[in-house]
Amino acid sequence: MKPPAKMSKPTSLFVIFFSLFVMSEAVFEDQVGKFDWRQQYVGKTLFAHFDSHSQSSKKLFLATDKNIFASFNSRTGELFWRHVDKAGPEGTIDILLLHGQDALMVVGGGRLLRSWDTNMGGLNWEAVLDTGSFQAACFVAMQDTVKHVAVLKKAAISLHYLTNGHQKWVENLPDSDTVQYQAVYSGGEEEVYVLGVVPNSHLTIIAYSLEDGEIIKQRSVEAPWLSSVESSCVVVGHGVLMCVDTATLALYALPIQSLDLEVSPGFQPVLVSSQPHPARSPISEFFLQLGPDHHVLLQLNADGYTIAPLRDFQPAFLVSFSTTGEKTVAAVMTPKNETVKKKKNVACAINLFSADSGRRLLDTTVIFPLDLNGGKPFKLYVHAFLKKDDSVGYRVLVQTQDHALTFIQQPGRVVWTREEALADVVTMEMVDLPLTGTQAELEGEFGKKADGLFPMVLKRLSSQVILLQAWLAHLWKLFYEARKPHGQVKNEVTIETLSRDEFNLQKMMVMVTASGKLFGIDSKSGSILWKHYLENVQPNAVFKLIVQRTTAHFPHPPQCTLLIKDKDTGLASLHVFNPIFGRKSHIAPPALPRPILQSLLLPVIDQDYAKVLLLVDDQYKVTAFPSTKNVLQQLQEMASSIFFYLIRSDQGNLSGFRLRKDLSTERIWEVVLPTEVQKIVAVNGKRPNEHVHSQGRVMGDRSVLYKYLNPNLLAVVTESTDAHPERAFVGVFLVDGVTGRIIHEAVQRKARGPVHFVHSENWVVYEYWNTKSRRNEFSVLELFEGTELYNSTVFSSLDRPHLPQVLQQTYIFPSPITTMEATLTEKGITSRHLLVGLPSGAILSLPKMFLDPRRPEVVTEHSREENLIPYAPEMPIRTEWFINYNQTVARVKGIYTAPSGLESTCLVVAYGLDIYQTRVYPSKQFDVLKDDYDYVLISSVLFALFFATMISKRLAQVKLLNRAWR
Amino acid sequence: MASVPRSFLLLSIIPTILILCADFACCNTGRKTGDGLDTDFSGFSVPLEHSFEVDDVSRFRMRGALQLRGGRETSVSLSQSQLSEEDRNTLKEVAAVDGLYKIRVPRVSLTDRQTERQMDGYLTAFVRACSLVESHLSDVITLHTDVSGYLIGVSIVTIPGACRGTEVEDEVDLEAFNTTLTIIVPTNAPQPETALFIERMDIEHEKRGKPQEQKSFFAKYWMYIVPLVLFLMMSGAQDQSGGGAANGGGR
């Protein structure tokens, strides 16, 4: 093992004091990647292009809804490079155009025009565009070379040089207040055409000179049926505008022609055309989509007036054009065959058709299975290339509704799949893995009720036989694999081989993504073990993942419940599943006809060891799940001791309820924070699986300061409605969730959000922006009962008349933060650290010791005895506290912590755009021997001592005997 | 309350403990609305209502009147009547079935007197009826306000707070409330203590750092340099040849 990373010498005077408490926690060089992994994602694809610059290119370019421009290796699906722009509308990618080695991008609703070098991913140039909302952009070619790019805004068109982004000319569009300009087109001539429409009246076509931007021609065409150029018109052949009239299904190629085609009811027909090279006209063939799975390939005849259907495709999900050399092909995706649909085993076939004749090309069929737990195919990107024998080969990128990308090569091989839904993880849980089959067998034997002596003996014997069998199988496997070369033996993790390890360090990460796709990921390797796509999830849905039964109750399978709630209507539905295998449970969740206000997991368990979930609807009626007779009976008995709270942040109202025996509720307390003054931004209780080992703190004078450990305490954070920097404030209220008693009420003056906070044990840590000093600050609140406990055996919110002592201290933090979480361990003996996600992508492990309101301003004998760090207003950030060294997590949104079987170890998952999993040891690995532990030395010393004792004992005996004889 | 005949009530006003929280009010609470503060505040009164029913359905009745006084020194006092015979029996019955004793006050603002705006709604709190009985009606009621003087919450606890099931024999113990009334305004959270820290650092500098820094090279090593120079001079005086070396050494 290499020597630990040396600590940087503290230079600032502020830091000198801390150097007394040096803790080295950095990762050793050879530990990199051993306990941690990172996966990088880009999000839902908006634009995708294959690099057709050279035949053997492996690049694939994507622009996504997460404002990312990325390049992939099309052979492996790995990321070459990725550019993460600002989140939100400022960084939105409006369009991505690819020509040769240049990738052109309009960013931020027409704010910036950027050109990237596709080879290295470097920025060639960036040009600031005039204001105005972006409409369209296209390459403009002159004499067969592409030299310009035209950008169409709402009221202006500008032409930029491709080499440096300088503006050649900009022209205001005539009548831009009445005409909606929506498309720009160039076919390689000396003109740029702008198409605009006055909805349901006429179409305007303006031709600009390429040289100086002068209007050459301007034409107006009556088109009372047309409402939008963008959605219903394409340019086909030699400058013929083809529009589809959605009402009568007539195709307008300027001379009007009606086609005898039938459109599915309620479907808006779509036209698909292709322009292989910006210097040439688009091909004269085009697709017309008539229904969700009905496409027609049409051709515009050479005379430019008549349209002939080439081929009818039904059923066909998706179509796409692709060009290689002089050949243009059409790729069509069809379901394999109709009958298979019922068998729940859907396969898809992709065929290539020659675009100019509509004939099917031989040996181009690709059949690939469609993942049942994924979404439907959504978009097809085809890359055609010429093989050596001049036939056309192709590769396909299929985008499905669950944001997954699948790359398929001939003949029907899925090369890679990227689950881009994981770029937007909303919530997650870690679930213990099940025991191995043999362990479970033993557990089951003890778990079941005894039914007589003889069956028990039989059961014992049978389990012994199973154990023996498993051992023999293991031996055989060892023997078999010993003959293989070492490198070939792979320990692939599959769902079948999943089992809990010795220290419970490997767990199942259940991740819920915004798109409604659920994932089960192995925490050790990061491989996706199962996935399940929930269709019909609204985009504004709120998710809450609840573990109702853990793995500990064999033979009952573990059970997770996902509460999916529509944010607007409040209507909710439940998805019950097994978190290890991802399968939907056969247990029918209750129907929830009314909006759900609150859900709470009770410690009450039913006869199948599932915790009871209570759902409160907007009439304050309670639904229990599971709702067996046993559960209802237990609920009736316990009703008077079940309290819950509701928060309506729009009214500033916090209220408490008590359950009645008939599962109705009664309101028992109410606290109202006037919304004119402040609004509730966040409410946080404590984590239910948190353990606190020590009830108090031993002070310097050997007395004990007892912690105020109220499990029902809620931390309510408010922000003032007055945003003036002098009057803005952040309020922190500590409210008992049972009695509604305000335990503490503090106001941070001249402060503003966003507030991030952690509530745990007897402390609350929050971070805010100081508007006066213009810096981020951390504040810590700790609650103590004092030197005497009121009732040391049990805590009851109903019987704690005295308010706790509250200590608070504030520190300057030199960086803004994006998220915060506290470490969690099995028994709570290990000291706590705060895990802070920084905007830079680093995750800082900040010892709680630095956030201690008892840090003394003046060092005394007592404080030294207590190991308190003297107060310093500035909180240090040390680079060796970054637990993810150079593995930055872009746009970190949340950090999840889970205890492992080892007290010293806490499992950490940081998610945002990327997912990063690691382990942290807040008090170092006190319960684990080091890797370089010298077993030989220790055992030889032990043996030597043992023999020395034996010999000396013998010698002593002889000596004693001799003395006795004397 | 309306059901209880007034004539039976001994309207003995129990002077309750008046707690001023001047130390809290020092902050710029409501400085914004402070224009009207200089005018005399005679205070105003709001009803304090309570409810205790065997069937746990809230039926609030008058318990007393809270005299609130806003302004620089926020204060509150309570005048309340005794419990009637009927109320005492009900309370005992509620305690026997482990029912709740609830109180409520209307939402008011302590500072915004001019507008006299009564916001709709109440602030409610509860305590177990048995603990109220067992503590012989000694309760602590706390009113919480926010920064601009709105009442945001009320809480009630009894001392002692536990229900041990002891019988209250003496009826007199349940006649009058022994109420401690407090009003709590939000505390100001501390700012980072930079000034004090810098001051302390300066003091420590003066103690340790400065004398060491001020000592020049000569001041530190004169005991070595002087003998050396003397030695060189002596040796230089003896033979006049090593002048250059002596100068170099004496630098």
Side-chain angles (χ1 to χ4, degrees):
Chain A
M1 193 164 281
K2 306 256 162 38
K6 220 181 152 195
M7 292 213 33
S8 59
K9 274 252 172 88
T11 44
S12 153
L13 278 170
F14 291 111
V15 189
I16 286 175
F17 272 97
F18 306 129
S19 59
L20 300 168
F21 304 92
V22 171
M23 286 168 286
S24 168
E25 286 164 62
V27 187
F28 291 100
E29 197 180 341
D30 57 351
Q31 285 179 331
V32 165
K34 207 172 164 189
F35 308 116
D36 63 321
W37 51 262
R38 177 179 67 161
Q39 288 170 356
Q40 291 186 305
Y41 293 97
V42 294
K44 181 192 174 188
T45 307
L46 297 180
F47 307 98
H49 290 282
F50 288 93
D51 186 11
S52 49
H53 184 62
S54 69
Q55 194 71 263
S56 59
S57 174
K58 290 189 250 174
K59 288 200 188 78
L60 186 66
F61 304 103
L62 297 180
T64 69
D65 67 335
K66 299 256 176 257
N67 307 347
I68 288 161
F69 177 43
S71 171
F72 287 106
N73 183 339
S74 64
R75 305 287 192 274
T76 60
E78 276 163 20
L79 211 59
F80 278 130
W81 45 258
R82 179 178 78 168
H83 292 288
V84 183
D85 205 344
K86 280 178 197 157
E90 244 187 299
T92 328
I93 297 171
D94 298 316
I95 197 165
L96 172 69
L97 300 168
L98 194 72
H99 179 260
Q101 292 214 1
D102 296 324
L104 258 284
M105 217 160 83
V106 179
V107 179
R111 199 169 51 90
L112 293 170
L113 181 67
R114 281 185 187 146
S115 167
W116 302 91
D117 173 37
T118 56
N119 244 350
M120 305 298 294
L123 184 69
N124 288 332
W125 48 261
E126 182 181 82
V128 180
L129 298 174
D130 294 339
T131 50
S133 71
F134 172 80
Q135 295 295 331
C138 79
F139 284 119
V140 179
M142 215 203 272
Q143 283 122 30
D144 254 22
T145 48
V146 181
K147 280 186 178 162
H148 303 102
V149 58
V151 179
L152 181 72
K153 295 284 196 84
K154 202 170 183 327
I157 177 168
S158 59
L159 203 71
H160 297 260
Y161 290 99
L162 212 55
T163 45
N164 52 15
H166 290 184
Q167 188 176 293
K168 189 170 182 183
W169 49 260
V170 59
E171 289 296 324
N172 282 330
L173 297 165
D175 306 323
S176 60
D177 44 345
T178 53
V179 184
Q180 294 173 12
Y181 291 97
Q182 286 173 335
V184 60
Y185 161 76
S186 161
E189 301 95 0
E190 302 280 297
E191 292 152 354
V192 183
Y193 297 91
V194 175
L195 306 174
V197 65
V198 178
N200 306 322
S201 168
H202 63 271
L203 188 74
T204 306
I205 302 166
I206 306 169
Y208 283 94
S209 159
L210 202 61
E211 275 309 309
D212 49 5
E214 233 176 281
I215 296 177
I216 298 172
K217 273 181 280 180
Q218 188 167 0
R219 220 186 130 186
S220 182
V221 181
E222 283 295 308
W225 40 268
L226 188 67
S227 58
S228 163
V229 177
E230 222 174 357
S231 61
S232 49
C233 290
V234 291
V235 178
V236 172
H238 293 281
V240 177
L241 184 68
M242 188 70 64
C243 295
V244 60
D245 179 3
T246 53
T248 61
L249 195 86
L251 276 175
Y252 293 90
L254 295 188
I256 294 149
Q257 187 183 4
S258 191
L259 279 170
D260 202 16
L261 295 166
E262 202 178 311
V263 69
S264 311
F267 184 78
Q268 162 115 24
V270 181
L271 284 167
V272 181
S273 76
S274 163
Q275 183 178 19
H277 195 271
R280 258 155 267 153
S281 306
I283 56 164
S284 51
E285 290 79 22
F286 59 96
F287 273 110
L288 175 63
Q289 190 181 2
L290 294 165
D293 54 355
H294 186 196
H295 291 80
V296 185
L297 181 64
L298 301 165
Q299 188 178 37
L300 183 73
N301 289 343
D303 57 6
Y305 293 106
T306 50
I307 299 161
L310 282 180
R311 199 174 175 128
D312 195 8
F313 297 103
Q314 192 175 21
F317 290 144
L318 298 167
V319 292
S320 177
F321 282 110
S322 178
T323 305
T324 171
E326 293 302 309
K327 279 186 187 167
T328 299
V329 291
V332 178
M333 182 193 260
T334 52
K336 186 68 186 79
N337 49 45
E338 286 296 299
T339 51
V340 196
K341 254 187 185 170
K342 286 167 195 158
K343 275 202 272 168
K344 280 194 132 192
N345 189 6
V346 182
C348 275
I350 299 171
N351 281 297
L352 278 198
F353 295 87
S354 159
D356 37 321
S357 63
R359 263 197 313 255
R360 198 167 77 86
L361 298 176
L362 290 176
D363 300 328
T364 56
T365 309
V366 162
I367 297 169
F368 70 98
L370 210 57
D371 190 0
L372 285 173
N373 295 324
K376 287 201 189 77
F378 175 69
K379 208 155 182 193
L380 198 65
Y381 303 94
V382 181
H383 178 220
F385 53 88
L386 285 176
K387 285 185 193 163
K388 275 174 191 155
D389 58 351
D390 221 29
S391 64
V392 180
Y394 69 111
R395 302 186 186 96
V396 195
L397 184 69
V398 184
Q399 185 185 354
T400 42
Q401 274 175 333
D402 55 347
H403 305 179
L405 292 175
T406 311
F407 192 80
I408 302 155
Q409 220 168 16
Q410 275 177 301
R413 192 166 67 90
V414 174
V415 185
W416 50 262
T417 306
R418 282 185 71 88
E419 294 292 350
E420 290 300 341
L422 283 172
D424 202 351
V425 174
V426 183
T427 176
M428 67 167 292
E429 283 288 342
M430 268 186 165
V431 183
D432 291 351
L433 289 177
L435 303 160
T436 55
T438 47
Q439 284 170 320
E441 185 63 38
L442 283 178
E443 287 277 320
E445 188 190 333
F446 293 117
K448 278 171 200 152
K449 291 261 158 65
D451 38 14
L453 185 68
F454 189 64
M456 284 297 277
V457 171
L458 270 186
K459 210 178 275 172
R460 162 103 287 198
L461 284 176
S462 72
S463 58
Q464 296 276 18
V465 169
I466 288 166
L467 276 178
L468 186 73
Q469 226 172 355
W471 186 64
L472 284 177
H474 178 70
L475 276 187
W476 171 247
K477 202 176 159 204
L478 273 185
F479 173 72
Y480 190 75
E481 276 173 1
R483 296 190 305 181
K484 280 189 190 169
H486 193 70
Q488 279 185 9
V489 185
K490 262 195 263 174
N491 278 329
E492 279 231 345
V493 188
T494 57
I495 253 174
E496 286 75 34
T497 58
L498 271 186
S499 64
R500 201 179 300 178
D501 61 333
E502 219 175 338
F503 298 121
N504 204 2
L505 289 164
Q506 187 180 7
K507 294 199 180 196
M508 178 66 85
M509 291 159 55
V510 180
M511 297 193 124
V512 181
T513 63
S515 64
K517 195 166 188 181
L518 312 182
F519 291 91
I521 299 176
D522 170 36
S523 76
K524 198 173 187 180
S525 62
S527 51
I528 297 169
L529 296 177
W530 59 262
K531 46 201 167 193
H532 187 90
Y533 181 56
L534 300 170
E535 283 177 49
N536 312 322
V537 168
Q538 302 301 317
N540 59 349
V542 189
F543 298 93
K544 189 175 177 187
L545 185 61
I546 302 138
V547 183
Q548 277 198 295
R549 182 165 53 218
T550 60
T551 334
H553 304 287
F554 188 85
H556 301 289
Q559 182 181 327
C560 274
T561 301
L562 181 69
L563 179 72
I564 308 153
K565 188 170 131 183
D566 193 293
K567 210 172 191 174
D568 298 332
T569 62
L571 289 173
S573 62
L574 293 177
H575 173 71
V576 188
F577 63 100
N578 179 332
I580 303 299
F581 302 108
R583 279 195 292 264
K584 197 174 173 187
S585 169
H586 58 272
I587 302 165
L592 304 166
R594 300 213 59 87
I596 296 298
L597 296 179
Q598 171 78 293
S599 66
L600 61 158
L601 192 67
L602 297 181
V604 181
I605 51 169
D606 71 348
Q607 70 271 34
D608 289 340
Y609 304 100
K611 281 184 187 165
V612 175
L613 181 69
L614 284 191
L615 299 158
V616 186
D617 66 20
D618 64 342
Q619 290 180 331
Y620 309 112
K621 287 264 162 47
V622 169
T623 313
F625 171 68
S627 57
T628 56
K629 205 178 260 178
N630 178 311
V631 170
L632 293 179
Q633 195 186 338
Q634 282 190 62
L635 281 181
Q636 267 183 12
E637 281 163 18
M638 295 181 62
S640 63
S641 61
I642 295 174
F643 298 86
F644 62 91
Y645 63 93
L646 289 178
I647 285 149
R648 308 199 64 156
S649 49
D650 54 330
Q651 296 164 9
N653 187 310
L654 291 92
S655 43
F657 293 81
R658 184 162 84 149
L659 199 66
R660 286 214 187 109
K661 287 205 186 333
D662 57 346
L663 293 190
S664 64
T665 56
E666 92 181 281
R667 189 188 294 251
I668 48 172
W669 59 264
E670 203 168 358
V671 167
V672 186
L673 303 169
T675 45
E676 305 94 84
V677 182
Q678 52 196 333
K679 55 180 192 297
I680 299 171
V681 288
V683 179
N684 220 337
K686 286 175 189 174
R687 291 179 63 164
N689 56 347
E690 176 183 282
H691 293 274
V692 181
H693 182 254
S694 149
Q695 280 223 312
R697 284 180 59 164
V698 181
M699 295 197 290
D701 58 359
R702 300 284 164 220
S703 63
V704 177
L705 190 61
Y706 287 100
K707 294 173 184 170
Y708 179 77
L709 297 168
N710 183 347
N712 309 316
L713 198 65
L714 302 174
V716 181
V717 173
T718 63
E719 270 182 56
S720 62
T721 38
D722 192 348
H724 188 275
E726 280 296 312
R727 294 190 295 268
F729 65 86
V730 165
V732 177
F733 298 83
L734 301 178
V735 181
D736 189 300
V738 169
T739 61
R741 190 178 186 199
I742 298 174
I743 303 291
H744 185 67
E745 187 183 352
V747 169
Q748 195 81 48
R749 302 264 170 196
K750 294 175 186 122
R752 174 158 68 72
V755 182
H756 301 274
F757 69 110
V758 175
H759 180 200
S760 179
E761 272 185 58
N762 63 330
W763 48 265
V764 177
V765 172
Y766 61 94
E767 187 262 8
Y768 59 91
W769 172 257
N770 186 328
T771 51
K772 192 189 172 201
S773 313
R774 294 166 179 275
R775 63 191 177 200
N776 290 89
E777 288 176 5
F778 256 103
S779 195
V780 57
L781 276 160
E782 274 193 30
L783 293 97
F784 292 100
E785 289 221 3
T787 46
E788 267 174 52
L789 268 180
Y790 179 79
N791 179 352
S792 58
T793 49
V794 67
F795 187 95
S796 166
S797 285
L798 297 169
D799 179 20
R800 276 286 138 143
H802 304 292
L803 284 175
Q805 304 169 7
V806 181
L807 303 174
Q808 187 169 14
Q809 234 171 34
T810 307
Y811 317 89
I812 302 162
F813 194 67
S815 164
I817 76 167
T818 53
T819 185
M820 189 155 63
E821 186 56 87
T823 60
L824 195 66
T825 52
E826 181 85 5
K827 296 270 181 280
I829 299 167
T830 310
S831 61
R832 307 292 295 271
H833 276 203
L834 285 174
L835 299 169
V836 183
L838 305 181
S840 64
I843 293 161
L844 184 77
S845 179
L846 189 67
K848 173 69 179 58
M849 204 160 82
F850 282 89
L851 288 157
D852 184 348
R854 301 191 59 248
R855 281 172 69 175
E857 307 227 316
V858 181
V859 186
T860 60
E861 199 61 44
H862 284 320
S863 72
R864 206 169 287 145
E865 181 82 22
E866 241 186 290
N867 263 342
L868 291 174
I869 307 167
Y871 179 79
E874 199 185 26
M875 187 76 62
I877 292 186
R878 300 220 205 115
T879 43
E880 65 268 21
W881 285 350
F882 292 148
I883 57 170
N884 57 342
Y885 46 106
N886 63 355
Q887 306 278 304
T888 49
V889 186
R891 293 198 197 140
V892 53
K893 200 168 65 177
I895 295 172
Y896 179 86
T897 53
S900 73
L902 282 175
E903 172 54 33
S904 65
T905 310
C906 168
L907 303 174
V908 177
V909 181
Y911 53 88
L913 196 55
D914 305 337
I915 298 172
Y916 180 73
Q917 190 275 144
T918 191
R919 300 172 191 170
V920 289
Y921 318 101
S923 300
K924 295 198 201 164
Q925 286 183 285
F926 60 82
D927 49 3
V928 177
L929 290 180
K930 273 188 187 140
D931 286 0
D932 55 355
Y933 184 76
D934 203 340
Y935 293 95
V936 180
L937 183 76
I938 287 286
S939 46
S940 56
V941 165
L942 266 177
F943 275 113
L945 277 174
F946 178 70
F947 284 117
T949 335
M950 296 284 281
I951 293 163
S952 55
K953 197 177 172 188
R954 176 82 193 135
L955 287 176
Q957 273 176 348
V958 170
K959 201 175 175 186
L960 271 176
L961 193 67
N962 286 344
R963 195 181 291 163
W965 275 109
R966 219 177 280 152
Chain B
M1 204 56 133
S3 62
V4 183
R6 289 259 154 173
S7 53
F8 283 107
L9 278 180
L10 269 159
L11 275 165
S12 65
I13 291 168
I14 299 154
T16 49
I17 298 155
L18 195 103
I19 291 175
L20 303 176
C21 34
D23 50 337
F24 291 128
C26 63
C27 53
N28 50 356
T29 315
R31 186 75 43 91
K32 196 181 75 182
T33 52
D35 306 11
L37 285 183
D38 297 330
T39 55
D40 176 49
F41 267 105
S42 52
F44 59 104
S45 109
V46 291
L48 170 70
E49 293 167 295
H50 61 177
S51 154
F52 42 97
E53 300 292 336
V54 181
D55 57 356
D56 265 351
V57 178
S58 303
R59 273 184 287 274
F60 283 97
R61 287 156 291 169
M62 191 66 115
R63 169 171 159 180
L66 286 165
Q67 282 290 328
L68 292 164
R69 197 187 298 269
R72 199 148 290 156
E73 292 184 348
T74 314
S75 67
V76 62
S77 60
L78 173 69
S79 56
Q80 55 192 348
S81 42
Q82 285 189 340
L83 278 183
S84 68
E85 177 82 42
E86 198 180 329
D87 280 346
R88 284 198 297 263
N89 289 335
T90 325
L91 190 60
K92 274 186 160 179
E93 279 170 33
V94 174
V97 297
D98 195 15
L100 302 183
Y101 172 85
K102 294 181 219 168
I103 58 163
R104 73 172 188 191
V105 289
R107 291 175 59 200
V108 286
S109 168
L110 296 185
T111 49
D112 226 5
R113 262 301 311 283
Q114 272 90 349
T115 52
E116 198 69 41
R117 200 154 50 106
Q118 177 105 20
M119 286 159 290
D120 51 333
Y122 290 88
L123 306 167
T124 327
F126 75 97
V127 71
R128 284 165 83 187
C130 56
S131 66
L132 189 70
V133 171
E134 284 177 36
S135 64
H136 305 290
L137 301 191
S138 38
D139 54 353
V140 179
I141 295 176
T142 316
L143 297 169
H144 297 265
T145 70
D146 70 355
V147 279
S148 45
Y150 288 107
L151 273 191
I152 58 162
V154 60
S155 74
I156 177 168
V157 287
T158 58
I159 295 178
C163 282
R164 293 198 172 76
T166 46
E167 277 287 311
V168 180
E169 296 294 334
D170 202 352
E171 282 286 313
V172 186
D173 285 339
L174 290 181
E175 265 178 6
F177 284 102
N178 173 21
T179 306
T180 313
L181 195 62
T182 334
I183 187 156
I184 292 184
V185 300
T187 51
N188 270 337
Q191 301 281 333
E193 290 276 1
T194 35
L196 209 81
F197 182 74
I198 290 167
E199 205 176 288
R200 211 181 70 219
M201 291 304 286
D202 284 344
I203 291 167
E204 261 168 49
H205 264 256
E206 274 166 30
K207 262 189 203 163
R208 268 186 259 161
K210 272 185 184 169
Q212 280 188 353
E213 273 172 32
Q214 278 173 347
K215 267 189 184 174
S216 66
F217 182 75
F218 273 107
K220 262 186 196 168
Y221 301 111
W222 63 271
M223 65 276 269
Y224 306 109
I225 293 164
V226 169
L228 190 75
V229 170
L230 280 175
F231 174 75
L232 286 172
M233 277 167 70
M234 297 290 274
S235 64
Q238 277 173 6
D239 53 17
Q240 300 284 323
S241 59
N247 281 343
R251 177 180 60 88

